[in-house]
PDB file of all heavy atoms in Angstrom:
ATOM      1  N   ILE C 131     -47.767 -21.247 -15.971  1.00 98.00           N
ATOM      2  CA  ILE C 131     -48.841 -21.114 -16.844  1.00 98.00           C
ATOM      3  C   ILE C 131     -48.400 -21.543 -18.224  1.00 98.00           C
ATOM      4  O   ILE C 131     -47.412 -20.916 -18.693  1.00 98.00           O
ATOM      5  CB  ILE C 131     -49.540 -19.724 -16.929  1.00 98.00           C
ATOM      6  CG1 ILE C 131     -50.044 -19.377 -15.456  1.00 98.00           C
ATOM      7  CG2 ILE C 131     -50.611 -19.662 -17.871  1.00 98.00           C
ATOM      8  CD1 ILE C 131     -50.543 -17.864 -15.341  1.00 98.00           C
ATOM      9  N   VAL C 132     -49.028 -22.487 -18.815  1.00 98.00           N
ATOM     10  CA  VAL C 132     -48.539 -23.113 -20.147  1.00 98.00           C
ATOM     11  C   VAL C 132     -49.704 -23.165 -21.032  1.00 98.00           C
ATOM     12  O   VAL C 132     -50.730 -23.774 -20.734  1.00 98.00           O
ATOM     13  CB  VAL C 132     -47.841 -24.463 -19.950  1.00 98.00           C
ATOM     14  CG1 VAL C 132     -47.460 -24.939 -21.311  1.00 98.00           C
ATOM     15  CG2 VAL C 132     -46.631 -24.305 -19.034  1.00 98.00           C
ATOM     16  N   GLY C 133     -49.567 -22.724 -22.311  1.00 98.00           N
ATOM     17  CA  GLY C 133     -50.599 -22.893 -23.338  1.00 98.00           C
ATOM     18  C   GLY C 133     -50.199 -22.290 -24.673  1.00 98.00           C
ATOM     19  O   GLY C 133     -48.960 -22.186 -24.870  1.00 98.00           O
ATOM     20  N   GLY C 134     -51.093 -22.061 -25.484  1.00 98.00           N
ATOM     21  CA  GLY C 134     -50.752 -21.540 -26.774  1.00 98.00           C
ATOM     22  C   GLY C 134     -51.981 -21.108 -27.592  1.00 98.00           C
ATOM     23  O   GLY C 134     -53.181 -21.312 -27.213  1.00 98.00           O
ATOM     24  N   PHE C 135     -51.634 -20.481 -28.717  1.00 97.00           N
ATOM     25  CA  PHE C 135     -52.644 -20.004 -29.671  1.00 97.00           C
ATOM     26  C   PHE C 135     -52.767 -21.059 -30.800  1.00 97.00           C
ATOM     27  O   PHE C 135     -51.810 -21.526 -31.267  1.00 97.00           O
ATOM     28  CB  PHE C 135     -52.267 -18.689 -30.279  1.00 97.00           C
ATOM     29  CG  PHE C 135     -52.483 -17.524 -29.285  1.00 97.00           C
ATOM     30  CD1 PHE C 135     -51.858 -17.377 -28.127  1.00 97.00           C
ATOM     31  CD2 PHE C 135     -53.504 -16.536 -29.613  1.00 97.00           C
ATOM     32  CE1 PHE C 135     -52.084 -16.327 -27.252  1.00 97.00           C
ATOM     33  CE2 PHE C 135     -53.753 -15.526 -28.745  1.00 97.00           C
ATOM     34  CZ  PHE C 135     -52.993 -15.389 -27.592  1.00 97.00           C
ATOM     35  N   SER C 136     -54.022 -21.318 -31.155  1.00 96.00           N
ATOM     36  CA  SER C 136     -54.360 -22.267 -32.204  1.00 96.00           C
ATOM     37  C   SER C 136     -53.609 -23.577 -31.968  1.00 96.00           C
ATOM     38  O   SER C 136     -53.831 -24.157 -30.911  1.00 96.00           O
ATOM     39  CB  SER C 136     -53.970 -21.713 -33.572  1.00 96.00           C
ATOM     40  OG  SER C 136     -54.540 -22.494 -34.607  1.00 96.00           O
ATOM     41  N   MET C 137     -52.828 -24.107 -32.954  1.00 97.00           N
ATOM     42  CA  MET C 137     -52.170 -25.377 -32.756  1.00 97.00           C
ATOM     43  C   MET C 137     -51.195 -25.369 -31.618  1.00 97.00           C
ATOM     44  O   MET C 137     -50.906 -26.510 -31.061  1.00 97.00           O
ATOM     45  CB  MET C 137     -51.514 -25.779 -34.071  1.00 97.00           C
ATOM     46  CG  MET C 137     -51.111 -27.269 -34.131  1.00 97.00           C
ATOM     47  SD  MET C 137     -50.476 -27.765 -35.645  1.00 97.00           S
ATOM     48  CE  MET C 137     -48.856 -26.903 -35.652  1.00 97.00           C
ATOM     49  N   GLY C 138     -50.679 -24.207 -31.253  1.00 98.00           N
ATOM     50  CA  GLY C 138     -49.806 -24.137 -30.059  1.00 98.00           C
ATOM     51  C   GLY C 138     -50.490 -24.673 -28.817  1.00 98.00           C
ATOM     52  O   GLY C 138     -49.879 -25.234 -27.949  1.00 98.00           O
ATOM     53  N   GLY C 139     -51.817 -24.481 -28.723  1.00 98.00           N
ATOM     54  CA  GLY C 139     -52.591 -24.971 -27.561  1.00 98.00           C
ATOM     55  C   GLY C 139     -52.729 -26.433 -27.602  1.00 98.00           C
ATOM     56  O   GLY C 139     -52.771 -27.132 -26.582  1.00 98.00           O
ATOM     57  N   LEU C 140     -52.709 -27.002 -28.820  1.00 98.00           N
ATOM     58  CA  LEU C 140     -52.822 -28.534 -28.977  1.00 98.00           C
ATOM     59  C   LEU C 140     -51.496 -29.125 -28.650  1.00 98.00           C
ATOM     60  O   LEU C 140     -51.428 -30.139 -27.999  1.00 98.00           O
ATOM     61  CB  LEU C 140     -53.271 -28.838 -30.419  1.00 98.00           C
ATOM     62  CG  LEU C 140     -53.915 -30.221 -30.663  1.00 98.00           C
ATOM     63  CD1 LEU C 140     -54.967 -30.521 -29.653  1.00 98.00           C
ATOM     64  CD2 LEU C 140     -54.345 -30.322 -32.017  1.00 98.00           C
ATOM     65  N   ILE C 141     -50.406 -28.503 -29.012  1.00 98.00           N
ATOM     66  CA  ILE C 141     -49.086 -29.014 -28.804  1.00 98.00           C
ATOM     67  C   ILE C 141     -48.908 -28.989 -27.249  1.00 98.00           C
ATOM     68  O   ILE C 141     -48.320 -30.035 -26.685  1.00 98.00           O
ATOM     69  CB  ILE C 141     -48.042 -28.146 -29.507  1.00 98.00           C
ATOM     70  CG1 ILE C 141     -48.110 -28.410 -30.993  1.00 98.00           C
ATOM     71  CG2 ILE C 141     -46.611 -28.510 -28.944  1.00 98.00           C
ATOM     72  CD1 ILE C 141     -47.279 -27.436 -31.787  1.00 98.00           C
ATOM     73  N   THR C 142     -49.160 -27.911 -26.607  1.00 98.00           N
ATOM     74  CA  THR C 142     -48.917 -27.796 -25.108  1.00 98.00           C
ATOM     75  C   THR C 142     -49.883 -28.698 -24.315  1.00 98.00           C
ATOM     76  O   THR C 142     -49.494 -29.307 -23.371  1.00 98.00           O
ATOM     77  CB  THR C 142     -49.034 -26.358 -24.664  1.00 98.00           C
ATOM     78  OG1 THR C 142     -50.229 -25.751 -25.157  1.00 98.00           O
ATOM     79  CG2 THR C 142     -47.775 -25.589 -25.111  1.00 98.00           C
ATOM     80  N   ARG C 143     -51.138 -28.826 -24.843  1.00 98.00           N
ATOM     81  CA  ARG C 143     -52.053 -29.799 -24.163  1.00 98.00           C
ATOM     82  C   ARG C 143     -51.487 -31.176 -24.176  1.00 98.00           C
ATOM     83  O   ARG C 143     -51.440 -31.831 -23.142  1.00 98.00           O
ATOM     84  CB  ARG C 143     -53.364 -29.773 -24.872  1.00 98.00           C
ATOM     85  CG  ARG C 143     -54.368 -30.906 -24.547  1.00 98.00           C
ATOM     86  CD  ARG C 143     -55.507 -30.965 -25.471  1.00 98.00           C
ATOM     87  NE  ARG C 143     -56.172 -32.243 -25.443  1.00 98.00           N
ATOM     88  CZ  ARG C 143     -57.201 -32.621 -26.198  1.00 98.00           C
ATOM     89  NH1 ARG C 143     -57.640 -31.717 -27.126  1.00 98.00           N
ATOM     90  NH2 ARG C 143     -57.805 -33.787 -26.043  1.00 98.00           N
ATOM     91  N   TYR C 144     -51.048 -31.693 -25.302  1.00 98.00           N
ATOM     92  CA  TYR C 144     -50.499 -33.010 -25.460  1.00 98.00           C
ATOM     93  C   TYR C 144     -49.225 -33.146 -24.637  1.00 98.00           C
ATOM     94  O   TYR C 144     -49.016 -34.120 -23.962  1.00 98.00           O
ATOM     95  CB  TYR C 144     -50.176 -33.348 -26.967  1.00 98.00           C
ATOM     96  CG  TYR C 144     -49.326 -34.542 -27.146  1.00 98.00           C
ATOM     97  CD1 TYR C 144     -49.835 -35.855 -26.823  1.00 98.00           C
ATOM     98  CD2 TYR C 144     -47.950 -34.399 -27.559  1.00 98.00           C
ATOM     99  CE1 TYR C 144     -49.075 -36.895 -27.004  1.00 98.00           C
ATOM    100  CE2 TYR C 144     -47.244 -35.503 -27.732  1.00 98.00           C
ATOM    101  CZ  TYR C 144     -47.745 -36.832 -27.447  1.00 98.00           C
ATOM    102  OH  TYR C 144     -46.892 -37.890 -27.566  1.00 98.00           O
ATOM    103  N   THR C 145     -48.335 -32.068 -24.687  1.00 98.00           N
ATOM    104  CA  THR C 145     -47.046 -32.207 -23.925  1.00 98.00           C
ATOM    105  C   THR C 145     -47.242 -32.369 -22.443  1.00 98.00           C
ATOM    106  O   THR C 145     -46.681 -33.201 -21.785  1.00 98.00           O
ATOM    107  CB  THR C 145     -46.300 -30.934 -24.175  1.00 98.00           C
ATOM    108  OG1 THR C 145     -46.089 -30.778 -25.624  1.00 98.00           O
ATOM    109  CG2 THR C 145     -44.983 -30.934 -23.427  1.00 98.00           C
ATOM    110  N   LEU C 146     -48.167 -31.570 -21.858  1.00 98.00           N
ATOM    111  CA  LEU C 146     -48.449 -31.655 -20.397  1.00 98.00           C
ATOM    112  C   LEU C 146     -49.061 -33.029 -20.057  1.00 98.00           C
ATOM    113  O   LEU C 146     -48.673 -33.605 -19.068  1.00 98.00           O
ATOM    114  CB  LEU C 146     -49.420 -30.515 -19.980  1.00 98.00           C
ATOM    115  CG  LEU C 146     -48.888 -29.099 -20.147  1.00 98.00           C
ATOM    116  CD1 LEU C 146     -49.996 -28.096 -19.795  1.00 98.00           C
ATOM    117  CD2 LEU C 146     -47.643 -28.848 -19.126  1.00 98.00           C
ATOM    118  N   ALA C 147     -49.963 -33.447 -20.854  1.00 98.00           N
ATOM    119  CA  ALA C 147     -50.591 -34.840 -20.577  1.00 98.00           C
ATOM    120  C   ALA C 147     -49.504 -35.893 -20.747  1.00 98.00           C
ATOM    121  O   ALA C 147     -49.515 -36.855 -19.875  1.00 98.00           O
ATOM    122  CB  ALA C 147     -51.756 -35.017 -21.556  1.00 98.00           C
ATOM    123  N   ARG C 148     -48.629 -35.803 -21.692  1.00 97.00           N
ATOM    124  CA  ARG C 148     -47.598 -36.821 -21.945  1.00 97.00           C
ATOM    125  C   ARG C 148     -46.631 -36.862 -20.759  1.00 97.00           C
ATOM    126  O   ARG C 148     -46.215 -37.861 -20.351  1.00 97.00           O
ATOM    127  CB  ARG C 148     -46.930 -36.528 -23.252  1.00 97.00           C
ATOM    128  CG  ARG C 148     -45.770 -37.536 -23.539  1.00 97.00           C
ATOM    129  CD  ARG C 148     -45.143 -37.302 -24.914  1.00 97.00           C
ATOM    130  NE  ARG C 148     -44.648 -35.960 -25.102  1.00 97.00           N
ATOM    131  CZ  ARG C 148     -43.454 -35.573 -24.616  1.00 97.00           C
ATOM    132  NH1 ARG C 148     -42.692 -36.334 -23.846  1.00 97.00           N
ATOM    133  NH2 ARG C 148     -43.059 -34.320 -24.817  1.00 97.00           N
ATOM    134  N   MET C 149     -46.229 -35.601 -20.279  1.00 97.00           N
ATOM    135  CA  MET C 149     -45.312 -35.597 -19.217  1.00 97.00           C
ATOM    136  C   MET C 149     -45.883 -36.180 -17.905  1.00 97.00           C
ATOM    137  O   MET C 149     -45.207 -36.839 -17.163  1.00 97.00           O
ATOM    138  CB  MET C 149     -44.953 -34.094 -18.940  1.00 97.00           C
ATOM    139  CG  MET C 149     -44.043 -33.491 -20.062  1.00 97.00           C
ATOM    140  SD  MET C 149     -43.577 -31.783 -19.841  1.00 97.00           S
ATOM    141  CE  MET C 149     -42.364 -31.900 -18.527  1.00 97.00           C
ATOM    142  N   GLU C 150     -47.157 -35.989 -17.744  1.00 97.00           N
ATOM    143  CA  GLU C 150     -47.834 -36.634 -16.581  1.00 97.00           C
ATOM    144  C   GLU C 150     -47.931 -38.203 -16.690  1.00 97.00           C
ATOM    145  O   GLU C 150     -47.725 -38.865 -15.689  1.00 97.00           O
ATOM    146  CB  GLU C 150     -49.333 -36.125 -16.434  1.00 97.00           C
ATOM    147  CG  GLU C 150     -49.362 -34.655 -15.924  1.00 97.00           C
ATOM    148  CD  GLU C 150     -50.829 -34.181 -15.805  1.00 97.00           C
ATOM    149  OE1 GLU C 150     -51.724 -34.977 -15.951  1.00 97.00           O
ATOM    150  OE2 GLU C 150     -51.068 -33.063 -15.478  1.00 97.00           O
ATOM    151  N   THR C 151     -48.088 -38.657 -17.955  1.00 96.00           N
ATOM    152  CA  THR C 151     -48.225 -40.083 -18.163  1.00 96.00           C
ATOM    153  C   THR C 151     -46.914 -40.774 -18.194  1.00 96.00           C
ATOM    154  O   THR C 151     -46.713 -41.854 -17.621  1.00 96.00           O
ATOM    155  CB  THR C 151     -49.036 -40.276 -19.475  1.00 96.00           C
ATOM    156  OG1 THR C 151     -50.281 -39.675 -19.439  1.00 96.00           O
ATOM    157  CG2 THR C 151     -49.132 -41.803 -19.794  1.00 96.00           C
ATOM    158  N   ASP C 152     -45.904 -40.225 -18.889  1.00 96.00           N
ATOM    159  CA  ASP C 152     -44.630 -40.832 -19.189  1.00 96.00           C
ATOM    160  C   ASP C 152     -43.567 -40.632 -18.029  1.00 96.00           C
ATOM    161  O   ASP C 152     -42.588 -41.356 -18.023  1.00 96.00           O
ATOM    162  CB  ASP C 152     -44.070 -40.510 -20.509  1.00 96.00           C
ATOM    163  CG  ASP C 152     -44.977 -40.929 -21.663  1.00 96.00           C
ATOM    164  OD1 ASP C 152     -45.818 -41.721 -21.436  1.00 96.00           O
ATOM    165  OD2 ASP C 152     -44.748 -40.528 -22.815  1.00 96.00           O
ATOM    166  N   PHE C 153     -43.836 -39.554 -17.248  1.00 93.00           N
ATOM    167  CA  PHE C 153     -42.896 -39.221 -16.160  1.00 93.00           C
ATOM    168  C   PHE C 153     -43.703 -39.166 -14.806  1.00 93.00           C
ATOM    169  O   PHE C 153     -44.625 -39.785 -14.698  1.00 93.00           O
ATOM    170  CB  PHE C 153     -42.195 -37.903 -16.519  1.00 93.00           C
ATOM    171  CG  PHE C 153     -41.451 -37.942 -17.796  1.00 93.00           C
ATOM    172  CD1 PHE C 153     -41.991 -37.356 -18.981  1.00 93.00           C
ATOM    173  CD2 PHE C 153     -40.143 -38.605 -17.902  1.00 93.00           C
ATOM    174  CE1 PHE C 153     -41.312 -37.398 -20.189  1.00 93.00           C
ATOM    175  CE2 PHE C 153     -39.516 -38.685 -19.092  1.00 93.00           C
ATOM    176  CZ  PHE C 153     -40.131 -38.064 -20.240  1.00 93.00           C
TER     177      PHE C 153
END
Side-chain angles (χ1 to χ4, degrees):
I131 296 175
V132 178
F135 282 67
S136 191
M137 196 174 69
L140 200 51
I141 292 169
T142 48
R143 164 191 165 185
Y144 167 69
T145 302
L146 294 173
R148 178 175 59 78
M149 292 178 74
E150 289 182 2
T151 301
D152 295 349
F153 303 100

